[in-house]
Amino acid sequence: MAQPVELPDRIEVGPVIDEGHSLGSVSDKIAGIVLKRKTTLGWILGFLVSFSLLQALMAAATWLFVKGVGVWGINIPVGWGFAIVNFVWWIGIGHAGTLISAILLLLNQSWRNAINRFAEAMTLFAVMCAGMFPVLHTGRPWLAYWLFPYPNTMDLWPQFRSPLVWDVFAVSTYFTISLVFWYVGLMPDLATLRDGAVQRWKQVIYGFFSLGWRNSARHWQRYEKASLLLAGLATPLVLSVHTVVSFDFAVAILPGWHTTIFPPYFVAGAIYSGFAMVLTLMIPARRFYGLEDIITIRHLNNMAKVTLATGLIVGYGYITEAFFGYYSADIYEKFETLNRMGGPYAPFYWTLVLCNIIMPQFLWFKRIRTNPLVLWFFSIVVNIGMWLERFVIVVVSLHRDFLPSSWGMYWPTIWDWAVLIGTIGFFLTAVFIFVRILPMITIFELRLLLPGAQVKKEPVAR
Amino acid sequence: MSENSDSLNLTSIQTKLEKAKGAGYWRSLDELASVDGFKDFLHREFPRQASEWIDDEGRRNFLKIMGASLALAGLSACTKQPTEFIMPYVEAPEQAIPGKPLFYATAFPVAGVANPILVEAHEFRPTKVEGNPEHPASMGSTDVPTQASILGLYDPDRLQTVNFIGEVRSYPSFLQSFIGALAKQQAKTGSGIRILTETVTSPTLYAQMQDVLKLYPGAKWYQWEPTGHGRRMGMQQAFGQFLNPVYKFDQAEVVLSIDGNFLGNGPGGVRYARDFVSKRTLRGENKTQSRFYAVETTPTSTGCKADHRQAIKPSEVAGFVRGLAATLGGAGASGPLATTKFYSALVKDLQAAKGKSIVIAGEDQSPEVHAVVHYINQVLGNNGTTVTFTQPIEPKPADQWADLTALLADLHSGQVDLLLILGGNPVYCAPPELNLRGAIQMAKMRVRLGDHEDETSEICQWNIPATHAFEAWSDAPAYDGTVSIIQPLIAPLYGGKSAHELLSAFTETPEKSSYESVRDYWRAKHTGTDFETWWKHSVHDGFIKDSALPAVNATAKLVAPAGGSAAGGSGYEISFHSDPYILDGRYANNAWLQEMPRPVSRLTWDNAVIVSQKTADDLKVTDEDLVAIDYNGHTVWGAIWRIPGQPDGSVALSMGYGRKRSGRAGNGAGFDVYPLRPASSPYFGTGAIVRKLGEKFRLAAVQHHFAMEGRKPVHAGTLDEFKQDPYFSQKQSETPPKGLTIFPETWKYEGYAWGMAIDLTACVGCNTCVVACQSENNIAVVGKEQVLNTREMHWIRIDRYYKGEPDEPDMYFQPVACVQCENAPCEVVCPVAATETDAEGLNNMVYNRCVGTRYCSNNCPYKVRRFNFLLFSDWESESVKLQRNPDVTVRSRGVMEKCSYCVQRINYAKITAEKEDRKVRDGEIVPACAAACPSQAIMFGDLNDPKSRVSEWKRHSLNYSLLGELDTRPRTTYLTEIRNPNPEVQKSEKDS
Amino acid sequence: MSVHSVDVLHPLYGLMAEFETAGELVAAARSTQEAGFRKFDAYSPFPIHDLDDAMDLHDNRVSLFTLIGGMVGAATGFGLCSWVEAVALPLNIGGRPFISAPMYIPITFELTVLFGGLTAAISMIIMNGLPLPYHPVFNVERFSNASRNKFFLCIESDDPKFDRLATAGFLESLGPEEIAEVAR
């Protein structure tokens, strides 16, 4: 797969990597960001902002543990609110990384090499954010570990028919495998950093984490095999995770939840929001670190295309849902659909239609796909849209179900907002630390894109 | 406790405390604690807490708790048995086994009328009220205030100390000054003495009163209560004498209610509901129904059950009944509604059912209306058949408004030296123009016996804490005169005194206990031989056999129209109604009652300005808009609540709210309408100005959607439909057949299979089941803020739906608790198996295992699960802890809870049965809701036993499953509501 | 094999040749393999697949272990669910049967991936003899470029055909940038 690619990219919008780069130059450039570059004021400011947002999470969590989930707006009938909305949103965002590093690897998409490290890191942080919510949202968080199957004196076990238990397995597996995959990918680059580092302590630290990697051909051979296998396993995994998350709803009997189309359309939605988030972070990053020559317009263009494609699938999902609301001839389904469109939460639904169905259509235009600033704006829109989608699914389905007598409303409290903003803070903080201490681009895979990586068959002249 | 000389004892402590006042009092408690004798005194009195004494923390807590109880002089009151010998209902106390509850028969008087009850006591703590199955007025059922009375007993806000102008005193010291004051009266034959009471019905108390008046001929005794006047005086006007009406709804083919709310409310309400329903339900082979017409000035739960309901302006009621009287007397149709189909049909039905019909007027109607209604019954030949009369159950019936005026006159004349107010809260209830508040302060010595520090106690120097009905001996007649002996379940928690004891203070035996008073009275009364056995039996049974008053013959005359505030005048009409639960405000501090959704408005914690949609449009207001109402020279602010079926242009206000000094539950709940209620016409008024204020006031309703949205939660139909096709209801919805699943049928329920059936025709929406469940299952009160966020905790709720035209809809009640699905959606999604179905089909909730994901609630199509979003249970108030049912876990924060079919009762019965080596008998297990239900609408039992009544109910053609189409296989099913409308007024929109 | 005294004074790990391009490295590796050397290794800043043939590297055990790991995971997943629901904690959950097979699939799948993935990574690392912080090749000054832009070939001294001078000569014949002795 890392076959030296003869680049057909000239016909594309620009190359996957600009002219004039050599094996040495790319190595020095990427490693340099970590090793040589001084910590800029911009980074410090950005970090401080993110970190202070993170404190909102700390405050909210503390208050939550002191008082109970009642500090949120949830009630009967709406037992799930922001917590689950955020959970699904973050998990979705976490899908781009593995998708890029695994599926595009299998599909032999050379342009992925420049962005997969960053995307994978993003995946890990997003999954961390998501992982908090199953704990935070329980009424007795100190007992959340009961969801794990561990032998205990009471001989009590989880109830394996519950999608929430499936979640525990899916999310923890997803996190573990992503982490492993990411780390395996890092080993050679850590070695590069080790060898490039000047200060002793950096050499020691990077050396330690590189496990003493020495670029041996015999290692590379097993290494490549392992990466391929991991990619092969991660591909169905990434598809399964959001499928399982969608089961949280699809397995329930609630109108608006009990829907067979959920798995595919959740996965599409996940990739959709995932790529949007990559763009949201990548566009500023390539600008500030002057990586336009490595993360080229072509990357943005391709990611925009994927966003558009998945956006269309998501749109198809909405239409199918609406259609089946009518076609099911089931009074509850029918009402649910109409309630989304015309009920008290209708504005949310139509905003989501705007963000997720109408706005992406602009991505048909190359001029928009290739204009970083505009593209960045669209990526934000998509993120908002996908958050709203989850809100509509979770809250709007719950607030009016079977018996009109128990219908209610849900409005978030400041603590709901604090948790959402807090996790965003956590996410950004992690990203800032990442770009500072690790190569945000896979150097050794980048080298493969260079002419210098070609192996000419005729033996060398004596 | 032992009174040995050297060591400290209660009396000596009290005398110590005697001297200490206010803050000093607390200090002296600490000083007290340092006394040597105190420690062993502790060990005698509080073996358990004494251990806490060691560490400082415990010591402080202990002082806190005890600071209260000491002052109350009942140091170890909490679980101490009364010293007098009382009669357990089933076994003698000496056989009491810890953990095994005992039942005592007694009665709880509401506005003087006894509600016969059994009180369940755990280790001598009263915890739960049940109806007395042997008493004709109860037959095992209760009403809402009676169920909630148990919380009233443990109300932490009760008046806890005798006090004099805010200073803690002891009862002996009160007696001192009281007797001193009496001494002064000896000379002037007590002409300076005035006694104000609520309506007195207790024979003993009346006798004591007579003695007092004999001792002090100059003294005067007045009775006043804000409500009940219409019934009493109407009787007097119609018959020229005071009588007590007793209705026989089980013999009535046609019933007409004039603003009446007789189903489950008011005197005899519990019995009436049962009798009425016996003529309505189609269970068994019954194929006939009585017909029920209602004419109402505001929708009541009773009116909701009517076959034909007609809204009418308050000012038109008198005209209507007079017109009806005339029509029935042969004259043509006249008066309001005369032209309607409703009217002609009503008249025809009434005439067809002469002697087999009942016309009944509501508690809040004027004497005139009551009088005319009695006349109508006479015209219809009902008097003596379906409506009988007895001598009044009040020993001294009187025109109480006249009494009040007389008292005022006395007070203003300045000749009142000693004013004794026994119970009631006149200062709060009395019309403002009388300025009772000011007048009372003209009395020199003002003594008040009350259960709370309230608006009245505020202006009395001496405040004596009153005993709760479960704390003192007394007696009271039921609606039919059957007298109950009230026996205490527990020594006064706060050293309260009963009215009997206070009246004894006038005599030469001032310390005489209520026990002696009551017993002496009945010994004197008793004619037969062997008083002891008779007494034992009477106390044991909870009532005196055959003491029901005999029927008397009386002829009603048609009274001349009273003047009063007639119709006319611009502005809106307002009508005053006593709240179905807190009544005239006397139970305002009962949190259960405050949080009990009102049957029709579904509101909690507030009263509201009830208007119709059209009126709201005229006022350009909608729900929760604040309006000001100007009437009777006063203005009150209230929030609008629209209710269909409220007559246009009239505003319904319920009394009893807006208390300023009732306690933490009652204070500030709702708004006070008494200022608008003139003494001249305390029933309704015309020409009130209603002004929009442009502000909002949030009202905490537990239900916001009343249309069925094209769904069929409530199956309903008419008697004709039922006769044509008994199975018409089951055809309205489909329930998938068993085996329609990819899974094999794994679970068979051999042995017991518990199930429940609810007869919607029988349910009168009174909410007694809800409060019974709350008291049986330790269900927390959450407060208005939480109810606003729909977090109320009631395990069973009564949904209310509208059907038909928006302005005059049919209204339906549907009690919904966990229906115990066999294919429970909640169980499948619980990640920790905290809820699962047991071998008998119960859907169990394991609190200890619950981590609180709330997934089960989300997946519950009935939304009957309740979640402790915060720490809702009260872990602080000491007194409330005593009420808790020890057989039911008190839930903590973060766990889900729900109806368990009263699993503790099921297991109790199963254990008993096992010990006796037999199966549980049908009817041996009765869940709290079913037991309390006045109309017996709930049946529980074993579905595997074909002979059980519940199986019988479920075999009925009207039986259907709520949301059965989901194949949840609920164990609770419903019997379709059948009504019997007159075809002539059949509404076309029906059953749309 | 004769041991030269100098070896005692200067114990060698091997001889290392440095090349400019990947192509040269591949060619050199092939020649070395053909020349009969077995204990030698090539070092490149990125994986070069031609080396696998050139050096005849065909180790598929990683795949095998991963397969086994995955199957163990699957068994564990379904086994755990079934055992718990049917044996350890047999409850009536919503009237469902003890073995609600369809509902056990997600967990079965997740564990398959988890076990498989972990086996792949761990077996690769272990079979590569990592972690190994110190290795003689690091003694060569310029070797740090192996992780940057240079290509190295190192013939180890304990190869039976290894002879300090002869091997040096052989490497010379491959036309490297330069040759270095790798101290042990």
Side-chain angles (χ1 to χ4, degrees), chain B residues 340-414:
Chain B
T340 59
K341 279 174 150 189
F342 172 90
Y343 191 79
S344 47
L346 167 66
V347 171
K348 203 177 277 166
D349 278 336
L350 284 175
Q351 272 159 342
K354 278 189 185 293
K356 298 198 304 301
S357 61
I358 290 179
V359 183
I360 182 172
E363 286 289 289
D364 303 313
Q365 279 302 327
S366 66
E368 178 187 7
V369 172
H370 279 269
V372 176
V373 163
H374 291 308
Y375 176 74
I376 292 176
N377 276 322
Q378 180 159 302
V379 172
L380 291 171
N382 297 335
N383 289 357
T385 60
T386 51
V387 187
T388 59
F389 301 97
T390 72
Q391 287 306 325
I393 60 175
E394 306 165 16
K396 180 175 173 261
D399 178 344
Q400 300 193 341
W401 285 99
D403 270 20
L404 189 60
T405 337
L407 173 64
L408 281 161
D410 296 353
L411 288 165
H412 283 288
S413 70

Side-chain angles (χ1 to χ4, degrees), chain A residues 64-81 83 137-144 146-147 150 152 156-165 247-249 251-254 257 331-332 335-336 398 400-410, chain B residues 702-713 786 789-792 797 799-801 814 816 825 827-833 846-855 857-871 893-896 962-963 965-966 968:
Chain A
L64 178 73
F65 292 149
V66 172
K67 297 295 288 182
V69 286
V71 303
W72 292 339
I74 49 177
N75 53 36
I76 309 290
V78 186
W80 285 353
H137 101 290
T138 56
R140 305 201 288 172
W142 54 92
L143 298 178
W146 285 356
L147 270 71
Y150 66 99
N152 55 70
L156 288 171
W157 296 88
Q159 202 277 100
F160 287 107
R161 296 176 191 81
S162 167
L164 286 184
V165 179
F247 285 160
D248 285 347
F249 308 105
V251 165
I253 66 172
L254 201 71
W257 282 15
I331 177 167
Y332 307 112
F335 177 86
E336 164 59 24
L398 276 171
R400 289 182 173 179
D401 65 341
F402 294 94
L403 296 182
S405 62
S406 43
W407 290 358
M409 294 292 287
Y410 163 83
Chain B
V702 298
Q703 189 180 346
H704 298 89
H705 291 77
F706 303 111
M708 294 198 223
E709 303 286 342
R711 308 158 187 212
K712 285 203 182 307
Q786 297 300 321
N789 202 356
T790 60
R791 289 173 178 178
E792 66 275 4
R797 62 173 197 264
D799 292 343
R800 211 253 293 100
Y801 293 109
Q814 181 175 43
V816 183
E827 295 173 358
V828 182
V829 296
C830 175
V832 291
V846 188
Y847 305 126
N848 293 359
R849 180 62 173 168
C850 178
V851 297
T853 66
R854 304 179 299 288
Y855 200 173
S857 168
N858 291 346
N859 208 29
C860 171
Y862 308 91
K863 289 286 175 288
V864 289
R865 287 174 158 266
R866 297 286 175 250
F867 187 68
N868 292 273
F869 288 93
L870 301 164
L871 185 58
R893 179 245 280 204
V895 300
M896 192 61 71
L962 180 58
L963 296 178
E965 63 265 37
L966 300 175
T968 50

Side-chain angles (χ1 to χ4, degrees), chain B residues 176 285 367 453 693 749 775 963:
Chain B
Q176 241 164 32
E285 292 314 302
E453 282 190 45
L693 292 172
Y749 299 93
S775 119
L963 296 178

